[in-house]
Amino acid sequence: MTAVASAGPRSDGSPARASARAVTAVAHTLPLRLIVVDGSLAIVPAPRTEDGEIAAVILHSDALVGVFREIFDHCWAGASVLSETAAALDSSAPAADGGWEPTGRHREVLRMLGGGLTDEAMARKLGISERTVRRLVSDLTERLGAASRFQAGVAAVRLGWLDV
């Protein structure tokens, strides 16, 4: 799950100012990491340097920035606005299974999800297979009525199952 943000136009249609409130949305995947600042500036990843350092390219070309803006707009169109996601979670806050609360492995996996661990890392730490981790994560998201790991985390925090 990847977060995407855009200040976008204001409600009266005028362009957003730097102090405007940002809108955040989540998308399941993005084709690449990028930052589109405005219509004339974008930052995209570049191959690592010979020393292994992370590199990026700053683009000022209106034509190239336009291409990345199109990619951003495409991803934005398929994303869920976080405030809508939060509202949906509020309406289903008590998990679908009534009073069910995570114990044992479910609680361990939930804590590790909150820490940003991958399925592979969780499997190593717990001494179980990645398939078992995926099953546990799937079970948690289903019980929380969430469509993604991120939404499951938000719901878990709201239910008090996960400390921020």
Side-chain angles (χ1 to χ4, degrees), residues 15-129:
R17 293 193 173 94
S19 63
R21 185 173 163 225
V23 176
T24 303
V26 292
H28 288 283
T29 60
L30 290 176
L32 71 149
R33 294 176 187 252
L34 66 110
I35 301 170
V36 178
V37 178
D38 56 26
S40 61
L41 177 67
I43 303 170
V44 296
R48 290 184 181 265
T49 66
E50 290 179 7
D51 300 336
E53 292 184 29
I54 296 173
V57 176
I58 299 174
L59 302 170
H60 292 283
S61 163
D62 289 346
L64 285 173
V65 172
V67 169
F68 287 105
R69 181 63 197 215
E70 289 292 321
I71 292 170
F72 175 88
D73 289 343
H74 176 77
C75 294
W76 185 260
S80 300
V81 175
L82 191 55
S83 58
E84 292 172 4
T85 301
L89 286 172
D90 278 343
S91 65
S92 64
D97 286 359
W100 183 87
E101 288 195 24
T103 58
R105 285 283 160 99
H106 283 101
R107 186 161 293 282
E108 290 176 82
V109 167
L110 194 55
R111 272 195 293 269
M112 289 180 192
L113 281 172
L117 273 69
T118 63
D119 291 351
E120 181 183 1
M122 286 188 275
R124 262 195 323 270
K125 282 188 170 250
L126 295 171
I128 58 178
S129 71

